[in-house]
Amino acid sequence: MEMVDYSSWTVEAIIAPALKRAMHEGRTSVGSVDLLLEYCRRMGSELPLLGAVIRDDPLSGEREVDRRSEPGNVRPLSVYAAHAILREVAREVLDFRVGRSDVVMPAWTAGVVQVLADARSMSVDKGLPWVGDREVLIALLVNEGSAASALLVRSGTDRHQLLAEVERLSPFRGKLPWAPAVDSLEGAGVLRINMVSRLLMWPVRVISNRVEGRSSGLLSTLEGESSRQAVRRGSGDITFDHVVFAAVSIRQQLVLSDIPEPEGLRGSGSILERYGLLSVDLNLRIVDRGLPPSWAEPLLVPTRPPAFMPEVAMALENLRRLASLDYSYPQILESLFAMPQVRSSIAALTAHRRQ
């Protein structure tokens, strides 16, 4: 089974600025040209040929839209993942918006969906555990049916020479995956970090965790990751499914980031394995359950973050009580997985293993 992490698609460096620019310009779509121009702005000094693509300042004209009405042989999983990333970035953009009305965000063009799917295929072929930045750029350069390709042709750039430049570079931001749960664990004082500003706060977080319980930081990360999983799936409600996804995702992000298991998490892996969750590609299971939208479906994002369903909020409140009694995170995970609603979610996700 192909296990590739989708969260690492150059979200912060490329996709978020492209989406914000499309919103600012009042456009209804984000195309392959948007992604290529973001690469040009960031990598132009290291890749002279790439920098030459925008020497005529195409930003001053109308943004070109990918000509194809449909992407090619794109698997439903890639379509789902592309939408999940777009929702996640959109949620970040809306975090400081005032008002409660839902917002229709710019959608991916067919060309972008195809490019991201091609980048995933390249990553699988190279044995990479995540989709790296360089793979997205290469997919943009080789995909001849997109608006980005048309921009390259108009600029007179030698595509083969540019690809050779890219291949000579060491991987840029794609050296490590994008791991929000790791950031959360660092902020909670569960993981030590090197950044001076965060290091100054680390003792404060540790003291707070001692007061609220040694697993309180991990529980906060679990709650935050549950909300993120709901955003990725386009849900306004956080369900027990999302909490299960979060428990698995936290561990996966640590593994992908090559971070040794922190002391507070030790023992949780064996629990996940016992329930069959470490052997499950949750994204594939989600697609199997019919959740991926059409690539062309409008992206409606609630202005407010998703909210916990009442029964989930009650369960988490009980887990916080256990944390205050100094239960370990594995003990809390066991209590969570013992709940009938959670057992039902796990059974649905692992049903294929019993067939």
Side-chain angles (χ1 to χ4, degrees):
M1 182 182 295
E2 297 173 349
M3 298 288 285
V4 179
D5 185 79
Y6 298 95
S7 302
S8 54
W9 271 340
T10 182
V11 172
E12 295 172 300
I14 303 298
I15 291 177
L19 176 62
K20 290 176 182 177
R21 183 165 282 104
M23 290 176 61
H24 179 72
E25 296 173 2
R27 291 187 281 114
T28 59
S29 63
V30 183
S32 60
V33 167
D34 293 290
L35 300 191
L36 180 59
L37 291 177
E38 288 299 330
Y39 274 106
C40 289
R41 281 187 281 275
R42 283 162 175 72
M43 303 297 296
S45 60
E46 297 180 63
L47 298 168
L49 285 176
L50 190 61
V53 173
I54 56 172
R55 62 189 168 203
D56 295 326
D57 192 20
L59 284 175
S60 61
E62 286 192 24
R63 193 61 52 88
E64 189 164 343
V65 177
D66 294 290
R67 296 188 299 273
R68 290 174 303 187
S69 60
E70 295 183 6
N73 298 319
V74 179
R75 296 181 181 180
L77 179 55
S78 293
V79 176
Y80 160 76
H83 275 73
I85 290 169
L86 194 56
R87 286 193 186 97
E88 202 164 344
V89 175
R91 176 69 264 156
E92 180 185 331
V93 170
L94 292 176
D95 272 348
F96 301 101
R97 185 183 178 96
V98 177
R100 295 183 175 274
S101 59
D102 294 350
V103 179
V104 178
M105 304 297 294
W108 293 129
T109 62
V112 171
V113 175
Q114 183 71 57
V115 163
L116 294 179
D118 290 347
R120 178 187 181 277
S121 296
M122 290 180 197
S123 299
V124 170
D125 292 342
K126 293 179 181 179
L128 299 176
W130 60 80
V131 181
D133 297 20
R134 184 166 57 178
E135 282 62 49
V136 177
L137 177 54
I138 292 172
L140 279 166
L141 297 178
V142 302
N143 200 306
E144 297 186 356
S146 66
S149 178
L151 175 58
L152 286 170
V153 171
R154 288 203 311 274
S155 70
T157 303
D158 187 319
R159 192 192 304 263
H160 297 292
Q161 190 177 347
L162 178 53
L163 280 167
E165 279 190 355
V166 174
E167 291 287 5
R168 281 196 297 269
L169 285 178
S170 59
F172 18 112
R173 290 178 64 93
K175 289 181 180 178
L176 291 173
W178 181 57
V182 171
D183 292 341
S184 176
L185 291 174
E186 290 174 346
V190 178
L191 295 173
R192 287 185 178 273
I193 48 180
N194 296 321
M195 292 177 62
V196 175
S197 59
R198 290 184 179 178
L199 274 175
L200 294 174
M201 289 300 297
W202 190 79
V204 177
R205 299 293 189 187
V206 171
I207 292 172
S208 173
N209 289 345
R210 285 176 180 169
V211 173
E212 299 173 2
R214 55 181 165 157
S215 57
S216 59
L218 280 160
L219 188 53
S220 296
T221 297
L222 179 66
E223 294 178 10
E225 185 66 17
S226 299
S227 178
R228 173 174 171 261
Q229 295 297 328
V231 167
R232 288 174 66 81
R233 287 150 185 82
S235 174
D237 297 316
I238 304 172
T239 67
F240 283 110
D241 272 7
H242 300 128
V243 180
V244 173
F245 299 150
V248 178
S249 178
I250 289 170
R251 183 175 176 82
Q252 287 180 339
Q253 290 179 51
L254 285 167
V255 171
L256 286 170
S257 301
D258 200 24
I259 295 175
E261 187 176 50
E263 183 178 351
L265 241 74
R266 284 176 192 159
S268 61
S270 61
I271 298 172
L272 295 172
E273 180 62 38
R274 179 160 24 101
Y275 283 92
L277 291 170
L278 289 188
S279 305
V280 174
D281 186 331
L282 294 183
N283 284 328
L284 282 174
R285 301 280 69 77
I286 293 163
V287 171
D288 289 345
R289 294 166 73 180
L291 294 183
S294 161
W295 68 270
E297 180 180 301
L299 188 67
L300 189 67
V301 179
T303 305
R304 298 299 182 189
F308 288 97
M309 295 285 287
E311 61 272 23
V312 179
M314 186 179 301
L316 289 173
E317 185 61 35
N318 182 57
L319 296 182
R320 279 191 288 273
R321 181 183 63 80
L322 296 180
S324 69
L325 296 174
D326 214 28
Y327 276 54
S328 68
Y329 180 73
Q331 287 175 314
I332 287 176
L333 209 57
E334 288 278 24
S335 298
L336 174 67
F337 287 177
M339 298 176 187
Q341 305 97 315
V342 178
R343 288 284 184 95
S344 177
S345 292
I346 294 173
L349 288 169
T350 58
H352 66 291
R353 300 187 68 195
R354 300 188 295 276
Q355 293 174 355

